[in-house]
Amino acid sequence: MSKYEIETEKQSKEDLLPPRVRDFMNYMSTIRGKSSSTIDAYTYDLTVFLKYMKIRKGLSDGNGEFEDTVISDLDDDFLRSVNLSDLYSYMGFLEKQRDNSSYARARKSASLRTFFRFLQGKARVIDQNPAAELESPRIKKSAPVYLSLDESVNLLKSMDKSDKDYYRDYCILTLFLNCGMRLSELISIRKKMIREDVITILGKGNKERTVYLNKACLKAIEEHLSHMDLTDVPEENRDYLFLSSHKKPVSKRTVERLVKKHIGQSGLDSEKYTPHKLRHTAATLMYKHGDVDIRSLQMILGHENISTTQIYTHVDDERLRESVKANPLSDIDEWDDI
């Protein structure tokens, strides 16, 4: 698809949105610097919400089918009519009618709070923010799924060197397991971004982030580049570190498939581990075996809020067990009578 076709498709999608939603998307993109994937998530969330609200208020035209509901005509008066009761009704609709998980509903409630905060504070089209008191569903926090050190070593050593994509795939898995990169960060790496033992990548929220490379990463990159075939690769794709068999930058789906393939071949559950789980693995191994403090780990992973990083402080049960055993009162029966 050409740039013109992409822009035309983007414009046609924007035309389906109310003017204030388009204003909000432009603000989040140009002023807040949010990524295209984040903008797409906001667009989807608000589209679902406004379709529900139009039907709830009896303003839907046609046969009232949810997907056919037009929202491009919604104006400021409609937005002013939304109240907290409407928002909780919408949360109930998401849970009961659309079977949204607590995580999905929490994300959608966050989208609503951000949107109505914009309408009140930036666009100044509402006096009262109905989402100010909107609470998020409680999300049950669980320890991250990750590979053990032995499983990680076995994964890399079990890879088939006769595979035509061996050096590329080995490099991808090595970067995941050593650097804790996000999938979106990894597929966007260009060779010019690598300087000695450092990669400067564009992380979440379009924020520049420095990733440091250890010996394993440097060796894997060197071997991958030495086996990289650039024959018939278009000039615009030659600088990408990872290419697909179609001579294009490797896609998220391709990386997801190759991770699943190699995980399965190593004898592990291929359904359980994803590229994001390999990111968890890198963080966990650094915390458990590398004595990396939580603040350093936050910087390495590119977390904006340290509370996101703190999930890794709960994964080492053995360390906690040994700490309790180290309490001098543990052996009180062996003490002489006082």
Side-chain angles (χ1 to χ4, degrees):
M1 186 179 288
S2 67
K3 286 186 178 180
Y4 173 77
E5 290 173 323
I6 293 173
E7 287 300 319
T8 302
E9 182 180 356
K10 179 182 176 183
Q11 185 60 51
S12 63
K13 288 182 179 179
E14 289 180 352
D15 290 341
L16 300 176
L17 301 172
R20 291 302 180 186
V21 175
R22 295 202 296 270
D23 292 345
F24 172 68
M25 298 309 168
N26 288 332
Y27 169 77
M28 297 303 288
S29 175
T30 60
I31 305 302
R32 296 289 301 277
K34 297 298 182 181
S35 66
S36 58
S37 58
T38 300
I39 298 300
D40 289 343
Y42 277 127
T43 301
Y44 175 78
D45 291 348
L46 293 177
T47 296
V48 173
F49 168 68
L50 292 173
K51 285 186 176 185
Y52 170 80
M53 286 304 306
K54 190 170 185 179
I55 295 173
R56 173 176 166 82
K57 292 182 178 293
L59 300 174
S60 178
D61 44 14
N63 57 11
E65 289 293 325
F66 190 87
E67 298 303 328
D68 296 333
T69 301
V70 176
I71 59 172
S72 58
D73 59 337
L74 299 182
D75 57 16
D76 291 351
D77 286 337
F78 180 87
L79 295 173
R80 292 189 193 100
S81 72
V82 177
N83 56 45
L84 184 59
S85 177
D86 292 327
L87 301 185
Y88 279 122
S89 174
Y90 172 61
M91 290 292 116
F93 161 76
L94 293 175
E95 180 181 15
K96 297 171 184 175
Q97 302 300 318
R98 295 181 75 90
D99 198 27
N100 278 196
S101 66
S102 57
Y103 179 86
R105 284 180 282 123
R107 191 196 78 176
K108 288 180 171 66
S109 64
S111 295
L112 290 177
R113 285 193 295 272
T114 304
F115 177 57
F116 280 101
R117 192 160 54 240
F118 164 80
L119 293 180
Q120 183 185 39
K122 302 299 179 181
R124 299 187 184 282
V125 297
I126 60 173
D127 295 325
Q128 300 294 324
N129 180 357
E133 300 298 324
L134 179 63
E135 297 180 34
S136 289
R138 234 174 234 193
I139 300 175
K140 182 181 179 181
K141 292 187 178 181
S142 57
V145 175
Y146 62 94
L147 299 175
S148 69
L149 179 57
D150 288 342
E151 288 171 335
S152 300
V153 171
N154 181 59
L155 169 61
L156 294 172
K157 288 188 176 295
S158 67
M159 294 177 67
D160 182 4
K161 290 188 177 182
S162 65
D163 189 316
K164 66 182 180 65
D165 294 319
Y166 168 77
Y167 290 100
R168 182 201 67 181
D169 294 0
Y170 184 89
C171 187
I172 286 174
L173 294 184
T174 298
L175 291 181
F176 273 138
L177 290 170
N178 283 271
C179 303
M181 289 183 183
R182 297 180 176 93
L183 175 54
S184 59
E185 295 170 344
L186 181 132
I187 64 174
S188 66
I189 296 175
R190 293 174 179 261
K191 298 170 194 172
K192 65 183 177 182
M193 298 161 67
I194 305 173
R195 292 289 184 272
E196 298 182 353
D197 66 341
V198 169
I199 301 180
T200 303
I201 58 178
L202 202 61
K204 195 172 182 180
N206 291 326
K207 293 181 181 178
E208 201 171 79
R209 186 160 75 85
T210 299
V211 173
Y212 295 94
L213 305 171
N214 59 21
K215 289 188 297 183
C217 293
L218 291 170
K219 182 181 178 182
I221 291 173
E222 181 182 1
E223 291 185 342
H224 164 56
L225 290 176
S226 68
H227 290 83
M228 197 173 185
D229 182 9
L230 294 178
T231 305
D232 298 327
V233 175
E235 188 61 36
E236 65 268 22
N237 295 337
R238 284 176 169 264
D239 193 45
Y240 281 93
L241 181 59
F242 300 116
L243 297 175
S244 70
S245 57
H246 301 294
K247 312 296 183 182
K248 296 179 180 180
V250 71
S251 68
K252 289 184 177 181
R253 183 63 187 137
T254 296
V255 176
E256 289 169 346
R257 281 199 298 263
L258 73 86
V259 167
K260 184 175 182 178
K261 166 187 164 183
H262 295 300
I263 286 285
Q265 290 177 350
S266 75
L268 294 169
D269 184 355
S270 61
E271 298 299 323
K272 185 177 179 182
Y273 298 100
T274 63
H276 197 66
K277 298 301 186 293
L278 298 188
R279 170 172 157 86
H280 284 323
T281 297
T284 303
L285 295 181
M286 280 185 272
Y287 182 76
K288 290 180 67 173
H289 301 282
D291 291 325
V292 178
D293 65 83
I294 196 70
R295 287 289 180 184
S296 297
L297 194 58
Q298 178 189 8
M299 298 297 292
I300 291 170
L301 296 175
H303 287 159
E304 186 173 351
N305 195 319
I306 198 169
S307 63
T308 308
T309 318
Q310 285 173 337
I311 61 172
Y312 298 105
T313 65
H314 304 298
V315 300
D316 196 355
D317 292 338
E318 189 58 36
R319 182 184 292 183
L320 297 178
R321 184 177 292 111
E322 292 303 318
S323 296
V324 173
K325 288 181 180 179
N327 189 316
L329 292 176
S330 174
D331 297 323
I332 192 169
D333 288 341
E334 298 178 10
W335 285 38
D336 294 330
D337 291 337
I338 300 177

